[in-house]
Structures are given as structure tokens and as C-alpha cells.
Amino acid sequence: RKGKIDGLNLESAGVHTEGSFIPVNEYSQTNVPSIYAVGDVTDRIALTPVALMEGHRLADTVFGGMDRPVDHEFVASTVFTTPEIGTVGYSEQDAVEKYGDIDVYKNRFRAMKHSFPQSETYSLFKLIVETKTQRVVGCHVATDGAGEMVQGVAIAIKMGATKEDFDNTIGIHPTSAEELVTMRTPSYYYRDGQKVDKLE
């Protein structure tokens, strides 16, 4: 992607750019203290709701007397394919880099609505849990309606839900989403950055 900054004459205002993007700090402030930038042109997360959040926080900080830096952690997103892919939080690789030790819960299955007609459409669910705190730090789903599902899960993850919180939640049967609260045993682990199938 390219930021559309041509014609803004940023150099005359002394605004630093990197390629076609405008670097900003956590308050969306450029290197010129009185000039701010939000959205795709800042090369952070190129999603409309993210740009809205950045704009709201900027307005609250500059005009509302609040201290509201931008928060890009645990932003949910969806790829509208068939099946949909919904994701929030860290991937396995990123979680290992950030936390070191993680537990990965994963299941692949054919949803009931695809079982009766013998469809070859499968669902995939994955939860990534930081081992030390047992906080759920990633959720990745490929199934029908994944976007709707992950939007709800994103609230819990953003609030710091643990694997035990998920386990203590009663699922709705028969739904694919109940898989998020019924996976009890890790499929594999990462310890000291290395994938481990079983713990000794």
C-alpha cells in the first residue's frame, strides 16, 4: 500500500515522511508538534475502524482534555472469504517473540451444518495462551461467520480474559463457536522459543 501524501506539501511544513507515509507517535503527532496524522497514511494498521479510533483519541486528547494514546494491541480483523477468517491478537510466531512460552489450543472439524450434506468445508479454531499468566493473547478462526464471532471474542481478549475464563463459559450447542470454550488440552506448546508437542 501507498500513503496518499502527494500534493500535501508536507516538506514545506517540515513534516518528516518515510516513503509515502507519515511517522507519528502514540498520540498521532508528527515531528512537528502542531501537526497530527491518522489513518492509512501513518502506516500503522490499515483498517477503517482503526482510523476512526485514532481520530477519536486524537480529538479527545487535543480538544477534550483527556490523555488517550492510540492503542493498537488486540485489534480484530476479518478476511471475507469462504469460509471467513477472523483473527484478534498475536499469531503463534509473534506471541513466542513477545512472551516466550505459550500454549496453543487448536482444533479442525466439520461443522454440523456441513456434516449432513457431506460438505468438504472444515472449520479451524486456534487459541494462543501466554503460559505464565494463562491470558488468552490470540484467537484465530476460519469458519462461517468468523468475523461476527471474533468481534465478540475480541472484547474478552482486550479485557484480559484467561483460559480459565474461557473454560468457565458455557457454550451454545450446537454452534461452531462453542469450540472456543470447550478446547481443554493444548495441542502443543512453545518453550524457550521451541515448539514442543508434549511436556515432560
Side-chain angles (χ1 to χ4, degrees), residues 26-46:
E26 68 273 20
Y27 292 94
S28 299
Q29 189 176 42
T30 69
N31 65 302
V32 178
S34 61
I35 299 178
Y36 298 83
V38 298
D40 295 4
V41 76
T42 63
D43 197 25
R44 294 183 280 189
I45 299 176

Side-chain angles (χ1 to χ4, degrees), residues 20-85:
S20 64
F21 296 105
I22 305 169
V24 293
N25 65 16
E26 68 273 20
Y27 292 94
S28 299
Q29 189 176 42
T30 69
N31 65 302
V32 178
S34 61
I35 299 178
Y36 298 83
V38 298
D40 295 4
V41 76
T42 63
D43 197 25
R44 294 183 280 189
I45 299 176
L47 295 170
T48 300
V50 172
L52 291 171
M53 176 267 295
E54 292 169 357
H56 279 285
R57 288 182 179 232
L58 170 61
D60 287 343
T61 300
V62 176
F63 304 109
M66 297 180 238
D67 183 15
R68 298 197 71 206
V70 173
D71 182 3
H72 290 105
E73 190 172 37
F74 303 118
V75 174
S77 64
T78 299
V79 180
F80 293 99
T81 52
T82 303
E84 287 181 11
I85 299 169

Side-chain angles (χ1 to χ4, degrees), residues 171-189:
I172 301 169
H173 183 75
T175 65
S176 294
E178 70 182 308
E179 197 65 25
L180 293 166
V181 299
T182 58
M183 292 187 285
R184 295 287 190 259
T185 305
S187 302
Y188 49 91
Y189 312 81

Side-chain angles (χ1 to χ4, degrees), residues 74 134-136 154-163 165-166:
F74 303 118
Q134 285 298 290
R135 181 179 179 187
V136 178
I155 297 168
I157 291 178
K158 187 73 174 173
M159 293 177 68
T162 64
K163 183 61 172 71
D165 293 326
F166 275 61

